[in-house]
Amino acid sequence: MPVEKTACIKTKRLQDGSSEEVKCPFYDLCKADGYQAQFHRNADIYILASTYLGLHMPEVLPTPRWIMIDEAFFDHLIEVIEVTVSNLFVGPMGKFGPWILAALGEGRDVLEAFEKVGGTEDDLCEMRRYFYGLWQRQFNDIDPSVQDDVAFKRLKPLNPVFHLIDALVRAIGADKKRCPQVMLKRRGEEVSVTVSVKHPFLPKAPILNLDATADREIMSCILPEHEFLRIDVSQNMYVTQVIDHRLSKASLTVDQQAGRNVARCQRILDRHASKYERVLVVTYKAVKGQLNPPVGWHVEHFGALRGLDQYKDVDAVFVFGNSRPTEHAVESQAVALAGNERDLTLTGKFQDEMRGYRSKTKKRGVMTPVHPDPLVQALLEQVREGETMQAIGRARAVHGRTHPVHIYLVSSIPVDVTVDRFLTLDELAAGGSKLELLADRFNGVIPLSPAWLAESAPDFFANERQAKNWIARNWTQLANNIYSGMRLIEGTFRKKGQKGASPTRFAVVGQHYAPRAMLEAHVGELKQYDGPEDTHSLHYMEINGTRYYYYRNQEDQLELADIEVYRASEKLLSVLNDNQPQVTRTKNGTS
């Protein structure tokens, strides 16, 4: 719609041949100190919406010497327009509409079908003029003097079939035999046609584009001669990722297990409620209202994250799910971007492929939906992985943080971050893996004796056999110090009076100050010990029947283990802070 002439100012021709200027009653005020003022004042820097990249700039603005674009802009240059079946039978299009619809339904190309029934380029140009003229004529009777409500009732959108016709004209003009921009879309029993449109990139000046999730494949379709520079920066964050559930939108909204899955997500929030004060939670818009976050936590949804800066001081970010577009959506976008310049591999479906995580501990991978065409895959990742990266980026983990931001990726889709800790969805909802929960209960030192575990942790192991099977099943990971991303040290011991030829194994979690003393606190006096030595003395305070252990160094200063690798220390720190105000956090730990 020509907004300037329709709503602001217009020269109107009268019946006697003369003309008069008709303008909005607020035009002069707007020009002096309102929206219009920006086009009538000289400035060194002009800030405009990215939409202008595909529009002709207002004539009153000077020619730019250089242009800086912030964040993704390609989606402002492409458009996927839906044409209903009824639009295919309007006016002169009725002659060809049935053939076009039938061809698409049979998987044939629309341009081939059009030419097969005798359609010509002249027919297309005539239909294009007809629909555009029909739309354009309505503006003859609309000017700034017409009341808004009257104008809105009169205005009708351009019939979307115009874009279908225009796509065919452009394909013929480019000497193409096919027109992939026109595709059939099925949604249940409903059928429609979509037209992928690429608007020209109009600015003519040197361009600098800053985008945290920019993609070389996509950029080459818009600026073929661009120079792509990736700058990797270290982010101060500790990442936990779920590895057994993609947590799709359907799994939280319409699937049979949706209610259970939402409840698991809520348990994750509840489990961490006392751990963090300032938290950002990101999920699907349709799920946002189903979660009940703790007071002071904030919930945003995918698609509304770019540019948000109010979460730069959060302690943690929880990302539930991933924003995956449909196959038709990304293929339509790819067709729009590619135009008539390149051929695409359009299969209409994703296929699972093994994709790896980046991890400090162990090589891991997961079957992930991908697309065989590189451009379609890039567009898929721009939304699916890109929105997750945008969520992580809201925490500004590169801005001089003294403590890492805790990132929880509650979806198994791999993204471009280093994962410190892998858990299943149920483990995260329970507060951690079985090893982590045992480490928390037993203060970082776990005797790997089936009898001792069954007696000391009956809620984990109903009998010795369950404990023995768990140790056997996980020992390869335990022995290689890679379980759940936690740092482990293996050792052996023999209790005083212990029978049998073989010593008993134990595991030390993290950088423990007094592993031998803690082991003795669990099992009693030791006859033999082979493991890391104590560097501190072990002490405890008993509150309401519960022992809380802490350590003193050689200078008799109170200390706790490193919180990042020994999670049980968080419990101790909380209790000690409540009971001994002199406990403070220091560079090397807590003292």
Side-chain angles (χ1 to χ4, degrees):
M1 183 179 78
V3 177
E4 180 79 10
K5 294 181 179 180
T6 304
C8 300
I9 186 169
K10 178 180 183 179
T11 301
K12 186 176 182 180
R13 186 175 296 277
L14 302 178
Q15 292 183 351
D16 61 4
S18 62
S19 61
E20 67 173 351
E21 187 178 69
V22 182
K23 60 184 178 182
C24 169
F26 301 104
Y27 181 80
D28 292 331
L29 180 63
C30 184
K31 185 176 178 180
D33 193 25
Y35 173 80
Q36 287 289 339
Q38 64 184 318
F39 302 118
H40 299 277
R41 294 176 183 171
N42 293 325
D44 295 321
I45 299 174
Y46 291 85
I47 301 175
L48 298 93
S50 298
T51 310
Y52 275 101
L53 295 171
L55 301 174
H56 291 285
M57 301 289 283
E59 295 179 359
V60 293
L61 292 183
T63 301
R65 285 176 291 179
W66 68 276
I67 298 170
M68 185 177 76
I69 307 172
D70 183 30
E71 293 287 4
F73 66 92
F74 75 90
D75 52 347
H76 293 288
L77 298 175
I78 60 176
E79 192 175 3
V80 179
I81 300 164
E82 188 164 353
V83 184
T84 63
V85 172
S86 60
N87 282 321
L88 294 174
F89 296 86
V90 173
M93 191 63 185
K95 177 181 177 182
F96 303 101
W99 297 100
I100 290 175
L101 191 62
L104 290 172
E106 296 168 2
R108 294 185 288 122
D109 181 76
V110 65
L111 183 57
E112 293 177 352
F114 179 78
E115 292 177 340
K116 190 173 182 179
V117 296
T120 65
E121 184 176 4
D122 289 339
D123 291 329
L124 290 170
C125 291
E126 181 62 33
M127 287 192 291
R128 186 171 62 172
R129 283 192 295 268
Y130 169 82
F131 286 106
Y132 188 79
L134 199 64
W135 174 76
Q136 186 71 29
R137 282 196 294 274
Q138 67 183 328
F139 298 111
N140 295 336
D141 299 323
I142 298 175
D143 59 51
S145 65
V146 179
Q147 293 294 321
D148 291 347
D149 57 340
V150 176
F152 285 133
K153 288 180 180 179
R154 291 181 185 176
L155 286 172
K156 304 296 180 185
L158 178 63
N159 192 317
V161 79
F162 167 86
H163 299 285
L164 188 157
I165 297 167
D166 189 61
L168 294 175
V169 173
R170 292 176 183 273
I172 293 174
D175 200 25
K176 296 289 182 178
K177 302 300 182 184
R178 305 178 72 254
C179 184
Q181 287 83 1
V182 180
M183 306 169 68
L184 190 69
K185 179 180 180 181
R186 299 183 186 275
R187 187 165 44 206
E189 297 297 322
E190 297 182 13
V191 174
S192 62
V193 175
T194 58
V195 184
S196 300
V197 178
K198 179 182 180 181
H199 302 294
F201 186 81
L202 297 175
K204 303 297 181 184
I207 295 169
L208 173 64
N209 176 217
L210 304 175
D211 185 2
T213 54
D215 182 86
R216 190 189 304 271
E217 193 79 31
I218 296 173
M219 289 296 295
S220 64
C221 295
I222 302 169
L223 300 170
E225 298 180 1
H226 76 284
E227 179 182 354
F228 191 93
L229 178 63
R230 174 178 171 132
I231 303 174
D232 290 311
V233 295
S234 177
Q235 299 194 71
N236 190 8
M237 58 190 186
Y238 185 87
V239 180
T240 298
Q241 180 149 18
V242 164
I243 57 173
D244 68 331
H245 207 304
R246 293 173 187 169
L247 212 65
S248 66
K249 182 179 178 180
S251 74
L252 294 172
T253 54
V254 297
D255 286 356
Q256 191 173 5
Q257 295 292 318
R260 175 173 176 264
N261 291 332
V262 172
R264 292 156 96 185
C265 294
Q266 185 61 52
R267 284 201 301 275
I268 291 171
L269 298 182
D270 295 342
R271 179 70 65 174
H272 294 82
S274 61
K275 185 175 179 179
Y276 306 112
E277 293 182 5
R278 302 177 305 277
V279 172
L280 171 63
V281 179
V282 177
T283 188
Y284 308 100
K285 187 175 182 180
V287 178
K288 186 176 174 181
Q290 298 183 53
L291 297 177
N292 184 26
V295 176
W297 292 25
H298 300 274
V299 184
E300 300 286 353
H301 62 266
F302 296 119
L305 297 170
R306 292 178 184 267
L308 296 183
D309 196 47
Q310 62 264 43
Y311 303 117
K312 60 185 177 184
D313 295 321
V314 296
D315 304 313
V317 177
F318 288 80
V319 185
F320 291 97
N322 57 86
S323 183
R324 196 186 97 173
T326 65
E327 294 88 338
H328 182 89
V330 287
E331 287 193 344
S332 298
Q333 285 187 321
V335 167
L337 277 173
N340 292 308
E341 283 74 46
R342 62 184 280 187
D343 295 326
L344 302 174
T345 303
L346 304 178
T347 61
K349 59 182 179 180
F350 299 132
Q351 57 192 38
D352 280 355
E353 182 179 288
M354 181 62 70
R355 288 295 174 99
Y357 299 100
R358 193 166 72 233
S359 171
K360 298 176 182 177
T361 56
K362 178 188 177 183
K363 289 184 178 180
R364 284 180 180 268
V366 65
M367 298 302 288
T368 306
V370 299
H371 196 282
D373 188 88
L375 180 57
V376 181
Q377 178 63 22
L379 288 163
L380 169 63
E381 293 180 5
Q382 187 72 196
V383 179
R384 186 180 63 188
E385 286 86 340
E387 281 298 297
T388 297
M389 294 303 297
Q390 286 291 332
I392 295 171
R394 298 313 97 205
R396 309 302 192 203
V398 298
H399 290 172
R401 284 180 173 267
T402 56
H403 298 286
V405 184
H406 284 211
I407 308 295
Y408 295 87
L409 302 180
V410 193
S411 171
S412 61
I413 299 295
V415 296
D416 190 16
V417 296
T418 299
V419 181
D420 299 279
R421 175 182 173 224
F422 296 100
L423 296 175
T424 67
L425 183 59
D426 285 332
E427 285 176 340
L428 185 56
S433 66
K434 185 170 288 188
L435 176 68
E436 290 174 326
L437 297 177
L438 290 171
D440 185 62
R441 179 174 299 185
F442 301 124
N443 299 287
V445 178
I446 308 171
L448 296 174
S449 161
W452 186 89
L453 286 172
E455 179 183 355
S456 304
D459 51 334
F460 286 99
F461 308 105
N463 49 53
E464 287 188 37
R465 183 177 180 181
Q466 282 190 4
K468 183 178 181 179
N469 289 341
W470 177 78
I471 294 171
R473 189 166 56 248
N474 294 284
W475 180 247
T476 300
Q477 292 177 303
L478 292 170
N480 287 281
N481 304 342
I482 56 176
Y483 195 96
S484 295
M486 299 174 68
R487 181 173 177 267
L488 301 179
I489 299 173
E490 174 196 354
T492 60
F493 72 92
R494 294 179 66 88
K495 289 195 309 179
K496 188 175 181 179
Q498 179 177 333
K499 299 178 180 179
S502 301
T504 304
R505 295 178 300 201
F506 70 96
V508 180
V509 181
Q511 180 185 347
H512 206 290
Y513 289 138
R516 176 168 184 159
M518 185 64 74
L519 183 60
E520 287 190 313
H522 292 330
V523 301
E525 187 178 350
L526 300 181
K527 178 181 178 181
Q528 176 259 324
Y529 175 83
D530 183 13
E533 294 298 329
D534 295 356
T535 58
H536 295 60
S537 59
L538 179 66
H539 306 267
Y540 71 88
M541 62 172 62
E542 191 164 325
I543 303 174
N544 297 327
T546 301
R547 287 186 177 186
Y548 294 94
Y549 290 90
Y550 59 97
Y551 315 89
R552 291 192 180 277
N553 60 20
Q554 294 179 356
E555 287 76 34
D556 203 33
Q557 294 174 326
L558 184 148
E559 291 188 315
L560 301 180
D562 181 357
I563 285 177
E564 289 313 314
V565 296
Y566 177 23
R567 298 171 62 250
S569 294
E570 299 169 22
K571 176 177 66 178
L572 308 185
L573 180 62
S574 174
V575 172
L576 290 173
N577 275 334
D578 290 341
N579 293 274
Q580 291 192 7
Q582 71 271 24
V583 178
T584 57
R585 199 184 295 268
T586 65
K587 182 178 180 181
N588 296 320
T590 307
S591 66

